[in-house]
Amino acid sequence: MYIRQTRTNNKVTGEGYFTFRLVRGERVAGKVRQITLLNLGRNFAIKQDDWPVLCRRIEQLLHPQEALLPLPCTGPIESAAQRYAGLLIVQAPMNDSSAAEASDAAGKPRPPVTFEEVDVDSLQVMQPRSVGVEHVGLHALAELGIIDQLRELGVNGVLRASIIGNLIGRMGRPGSELATWNWLQRTSALGELIDVDFLSMLHMSLYRASDVLMKHREVIETRLFGTVRTLFGLEETITLYDLTNTYFEGEVPSNRKAKRARSKEKRSDCPLVTLGLVVDGSGFVRRSQTFEGNVSEAGTLAGMLTGLGAPAGALVIMDAGIATEANVVWLVEHGYRYLVVRRGGTRQFDETQAVTIETADEQPLRLQKALSEDGKELQLFCHSPGRQLKEVAMLESFSQRFEAGLQQMQDGLAKPRAEKRPDKLQERLGRLKQKSRGTSQHYTVDLVTDESGKRVTGITWQKVPREARRARRRTLASIACAPINSTGTRSGSGAPTPC
């Protein structure tokens, strides 16, 4: 048994590369023939100097017996030997049970049954693999028609296996493509279930699989949601729309959508792309889109909802970042109802008009329902006492930090070589305010200078005595449900509004 290296040329590009095979020499009719046992592919990573050791280790695993001399075998060689020996065992001729079944099918007498004794204590578990989530995931993909859809799109076998690995990897071990590749190689038995050797597959195949999914995104999403809707009998009544962004390390000049903007992950120093997602009330994806990193969130709503085919009166839920006045008008003009967090406006809360309910975690919540001035919009004001206490505690903590920073600046003025120029101290004060998380707005801070105005002699500050009321005001949220008619019911629904 030995390893043979063969140079091959790509028929399409003419590129030359090497492939590797595990072969065995046999004498047949007085001539020596080379029989290929395994195709090791082009990504064979074992060094040529270690090939003899690898072959001897594979033979030891296939024909275990006491060795006269220990065989030096490193971790990578041992792992490769275990893997190739397992593949050879799988490809071995059928066992006695299979031979008996084949004989029955052919109408021939069964071969004699033989029994072997096995020392249970001598058994070793080699390369254990998980199969539960893989089996369920494959069944789900088949029921949803995703595998058939990939075949219809002309996706080849390698990319199709990589896509399946990516999808089931997100179910069993969510992570990046590189993390999924490691999971497929070391932990998962998905390769055995779909007869694919992920150990010989480069991790770049999983990245290319993601590119293929992105290329056929619209076709896959349309068919997938249609299948899900049929399976579960979903009604298109609720649509949730939101955006987020993600950043890239580096300049990524080849990505035209990567732009610098405000990052939700606090990485505005990096190029961003914006991701939009539309899901229904049950959480199934209806549509996704990738926008430029500096796109205006409010300007994406019409483009995302156009073409969805949602029935008249469908409810669209979105946050304050998208719920501009123009978008609300667009929703009304196109027959959608909406549930949004209001931008700006008054946030008055009348305790006498409020009712108390309990949340899922048994916390009290005060609600006040009111109609807008034009009678077309139902407004719901919410006040959480627990959230108010939390806001007050956070404000107190930030206030202590801010005052400690001011005191540190004040104490530094007593040192002989400390900075006393007003412009420099104003810069320090500005940086301190920037770190205060908005707490500085509750303070008035003054720098006391000498007669010349060129040296600061002291710092005074005073807290505005309205922090509790401001903390509570930030806890009030206004929710608008529209359109409704003058009787307090949504237009076209005929049923009382749950708000």
Side-chain angles (χ1 to χ4, degrees):
M1 184 182 297
Y2 60 95
I3 296 173
R4 184 173 66 188
Q5 178 180 342
T6 306
R7 180 176 177 83
T8 307
N9 292 326
N10 190 303
K11 296 181 179 179
V12 178
T13 64
E15 175 190 3
Y17 59 92
F18 289 99
T19 60
F20 302 87
R21 298 183 180 184
L22 182 65
V23 299
R24 180 183 63 199
E26 288 187 0
R27 184 174 294 276
V28 179
K31 296 183 179 180
V32 177
R33 297 181 57 187
Q34 295 179 350
I35 300 176
T36 300
L37 302 178
L38 277 179
N39 186 355
L40 306 180
R42 60 185 296 185
N43 302 313
F44 184 64
I46 303 298
K47 297 181 180 179
Q48 188 170 1
D49 295 340
D50 297 328
W51 290 357
V53 179
L54 174 63
C55 293
R56 290 199 300 269
R57 180 56 181 157
I58 293 175
E59 290 179 347
Q60 278 189 354
L61 294 173
L62 294 176
H63 309 287
Q65 58 185 2
E66 293 292 338
L68 297 177
L69 296 175
L71 181 64
C73 191
T74 60
I77 296 178
E78 176 66 22
S79 177
Q82 294 284 351
R83 171 191 167 200
Y84 297 137
L87 292 175
L88 290 173
I89 292 173
V90 172
Q91 297 178 6
M94 57 184 177
N95 54 27
D96 295 339
S97 175
S98 300
E101 294 177 359
S103 299
D104 292 341
K108 298 179 180 179
R110 288 193 175 197
V113 179
T114 59
F115 296 91
E116 299 288 344
E117 292 186 357
V118 177
D119 182 4
V120 178
D121 295 333
S122 67
L123 297 178
Q124 296 181 359
V125 179
M126 308 300 295
Q127 297 181 334
R129 302 277 177 160
S130 64
V131 74
V133 67
E134 292 85 350
H135 183 75
V136 174
L138 280 175
H139 179 73
L141 295 182
E143 288 293 315
L144 294 173
I146 294 179
I147 299 177
D148 294 336
Q149 177 74 67
L150 295 175
R151 291 194 184 96
E152 295 173 7
L153 293 172
V155 180
N156 62 46
V158 175
L159 284 176
R160 193 163 61 243
S162 302
I163 291 173
I164 294 173
N166 265 335
L167 296 178
I168 297 181
R170 295 299 190 276
M171 303 177 193
R173 188 70 64 86
S176 63
E177 279 83 353
L178 181 58
T180 301
W181 179 70
N182 290 326
W183 177 72
L184 291 171
Q185 287 203 326
R186 302 173 184 176
T187 307
S188 174
L190 180 61
E192 285 80 353
L193 293 178
I194 61 177
D195 195 20
V196 173
D197 186 11
F198 284 109
L199 288 170
S200 64
M201 184 182 293
L202 292 177
H203 69 276
M204 286 301 299
S205 297
L206 271 67
Y207 290 101
R208 296 189 183 100
S210 298
D211 293 338
V212 171
L213 289 175
M214 191 68 180
K215 177 181 178 181
H216 302 291
R217 173 183 51 81
E218 294 185 6
V219 176
I220 294 175
E221 287 176 354
T222 302
R223 175 168 176 174
L224 183 59
F225 183 74
T227 305
V228 169
R229 183 183 175 190
T230 302
L231 284 175
F232 297 100
L234 301 179
E235 296 182 1
E236 298 183 41
T237 56
I238 302 178
T239 297
L240 297 94
Y241 176 53
D242 199 7
L243 293 96
T244 187
N245 54 37
T246 186
Y247 65 91
F248 296 93
E249 297 283 359
E251 295 298 327
V252 288
S254 59
N255 191 336
R256 292 177 295 178
K257 292 185 177 181
K259 306 290 184 180
R260 294 186 182 273
R262 178 180 175 273
S263 170
K264 296 185 178 181
E265 298 176 276
K266 311 300 181 183
R267 290 303 304 269
S268 300
D269 58 316
C270 299
L272 312 171
V273 292
T274 300
L275 310 174
L277 192 67
V278 177
V279 299
D280 74 337
S282 300
F284 293 103
V285 176
R286 297 199 56 191
R287 188 179 181 188
S288 64
Q289 185 66 45
T290 303
F291 302 98
E292 293 183 350
N294 59 355
V295 69
S296 170
E297 291 190 357
T300 63
L301 177 67
M304 286 292 287
L305 295 185
T306 300
L308 286 181
L315 178 65
V316 179
I317 303 175
M318 51 193 177
D319 62 11
I322 310 174
T324 62
E325 188 65 30
N327 280 338
V328 171
V329 172
W330 184 89
L331 290 173
V332 174
E333 291 177 349
H334 289 76
Y336 292 104
R337 294 177 296 132
Y338 58 86
L339 177 63
V340 301
V341 179
R342 174 180 294 280
R343 280 190 170 195
T346 59
R347 296 186 178 183
Q348 300 177 356
F349 190 79
D350 188 354
E351 293 282 354
T352 61
Q353 300 294 327
V355 296
T356 302
I357 65 172
E358 284 190 354
T359 61
D361 55 352
E362 299 182 352
Q363 296 295 322
L365 184 66
R366 301 282 290 169
L367 303 178
Q368 176 195 349
K369 182 174 69 173
L371 286 175
S372 60
E373 295 181 358
D374 56 7
K376 297 181 179 180
E377 194 174 69
L378 181 64
Q379 299 175 344
L380 186 66
F381 297 92
C382 310
H383 172 246
S384 170
R387 180 65 182 272
Q388 177 181 348
L389 294 176
K390 178 182 177 181
E391 291 285 345
V392 171
M394 291 173 59
L395 179 60
E396 184 63 28
S397 176
F398 293 143
S399 297
Q400 293 177 3
R401 296 180 189 178
F402 184 66
E403 292 184 7
L406 293 174
Q407 187 62 47
Q408 185 178 9
M409 292 178 60
Q410 171 69 22
D411 296 340
L413 296 175
K415 300 178 181 179
R417 296 184 180 181
E419 182 61 68
K420 297 180 177 62
R421 288 177 292 179
D423 56 340
K424 296 297 181 181
L425 288 177
Q426 284 287 2
E427 292 179 2
R428 288 183 58 185
L429 180 60
R431 289 193 293 269
L432 181 61
K433 289 182 177 181
Q434 186 179 13
K435 297 178 181 179
S436 69
R437 298 178 181 266
T439 308
S440 60
Q441 64 180 326
H442 301 283
Y443 288 82
T444 57
V445 183
D446 298 313
L447 300 181
V448 182
T449 60
D450 57 8
E451 295 180 356
S452 64
K454 296 181 178 181
R455 292 172 60 85
V456 177
T457 59
I459 301 176
T460 62
W461 63 87
Q462 183 179 6
K463 194 172 185 179
V464 180
R466 298 175 59 186
E467 66 276 11
R469 191 180 348 170
R470 294 188 179 185
R472 177 184 174 184
R473 188 175 300 170
R474 285 198 300 273
T475 67
L476 301 181
S478 172
I479 301 179
C481 306
I484 63 172
N485 55 34
S486 59
T487 61
T489 59
R490 294 192 183 98
S491 299
S493 66
T497 171
C499 295

